Amino acid sequence: MKSFREIRRLALLASVALPMAVTATGISAQDKPKGHGDTPAAAYQPSMTTLGQIDVEIPGRKPGDPVISQEEFQAGTKMYFERCAGCHGVLRKGATGKPLTTDLTRENGYEYLRDFIKYGSPGGMPNWGTSGELSDDQIDLMARYLLIEPPAPPEFGMPEMLETWKVLVKPEDRPTKKMNDIDIDNLFSVTLRDSGQIALIDGKSYEIHAIIETGYAVHISRISASGRYLMVIGRDALINMIDLWMETPATVAQIKVGAEARSVETSKMEGWEDKYAIAGSYWPPQYVIMDGDTLEPKKVVSTRGMIYDTQEYHPEPRVAAIIASHYRPEFIVNVKETGKILLVDYSDIKNLKVTEIEAERFLHDGGLDSSKRYFLTAANARNKIAVIDTKEGSLTALIDSEGETPHPGRGANLNHPTYGPVWATSHLGDDTVALIGTDPEGHPDHAWKMVQQLYALGGGSLFVKTHPTSNHLYVDAPLNPDAEITASVAVFKVDELDQEEPEYTVLPIVEWAGIAEGQPRVVQGEFNKEGNEIWFSVWNAKDLESALVVVDDKTLELKHVIKDPRLITPTGKFNVFNTRQDVY
């Protein structure tokens, strides 16, 4: 008899198997490329739509360049930005995916590139051709495109930001008190990814209070320390500052901070609440500190520089997660490719002081522990979790998550029956969930160690979730290749985690939503303020029906389904109270 653990692993391996293909160079297109993750991880392709719309010229031609027209080069650039740049980088220097610089692509040759793009690899490269995502003509174009030097997108500095900056309602013209009857603390900001909007939904009545135009594919929503302003940033680097006190909440300030971005935050330190906002960009690689009331850009800082361990220059170190310290007037900024975590002291931005902490590559997402003192963040290409003491301003630990490509979102804090306070992350590349001890005073023997490994539905997980009042840990798997798995959520009981091999309950979220068309994916659980129900997005194609499913946390039964034609591709959801208070 195989153990439960062995059965889960065999099922996962079977679900990602792809047919073999031999290239003209004699190398199998299925060989695992060094540095790649697993197939579910490769499905996490950040959109580069905005960059793909920039007109580019073919760089200086070199002997041996393939024949390619300007029109084809523009189409190849757009395709690369939309499909490839999130893993391989805008300049093709590599990140989660391996480098695609011309010295490497030319060595492998056209046939190798063509077949590798078509058939992919279970080690991380999607099978763009056999999956039907790209036609043979598109694959031919991309193989030729990769043999030519990449175009460098334009920079985006202070002059460009100021051109986009708008104060639609001046601070002095905004309400002096709340003008609506919305329970703001129990409001959900829901990303409507492909329509470039967010929906503000009441956490009790499930009523949609407003649909607000935003940037494309809002990545996160963050709430000001006061609880009044909602900050959202799209992957097109457009920030909207929404005043929740207005009779109908609406954008009061707006700015574009680059061509591609992921993160925004406001200052939280006592005495500095909402004094400043900060946003980080993928392109150009930089962050900008802004006025907290108007988003006026005050200081732009490049993150280009040396990789922490090799001391090699990197031209494209993108800014990932940003979080505000509760202990010091600092923003904590993850720089992906250089493996550095920056503590940006905003107490004097004219004489800016930045503490540079060497961590690991490639830094992505993370969140605070339950004490809000320690920041735990994933270096997902090296399968590490870095722990930063935000009170002391130093690296506390670097922990192996013992899984493939950790992707915690903000993670989940729970009280383990054996190990006390722990923080959890799931993984893109396999079915494991890592539990890490976070209580150096009460449980010193378990602090900053992976104390337990759980096994959930399968690889392709993006988020884990719990709540201080909940006895459950929820794990999604929206990027798993198995449609049944993407439609479901695994739920562990916290008080049963001390068992040798804790089992989980499967919630059939898509079935509960009553959606028969397409292959909808269940993503990102989010609790309401009270912590007695959890919401999941049922994320379907843009032209098909999507939904939000509300689950009763005590009974694990369906409580409500929210459907509306305006709910187009819902993904991330952010409860105002939980987001402001860092409850996760």
Side-chain angles (χ1 to χ4, degrees), residues 208 512-515 545-548 560-567:
I208 298 177
W512 286 349
I515 295 177
E545 185 180 44
S546 292
L548 300 175
H560 191 76
V561 176
I562 305 173
K563 289 185 178 180
D564 190 289
R566 296 171 292 174
L567 294 180

Side-chain angles (χ1 to χ4, degrees), residues 452-475:
Q452 189 173 11
Q453 189 175 55
L454 308 178
Y455 295 87
L457 286 168
S461 176
L462 289 178
F463 301 103
V464 289
K465 185 63 66 174
T466 189
H467 189 276
T469 66
S470 174
N471 186 42
H472 296 120
L473 173 66
Y474 297 81
V475 186

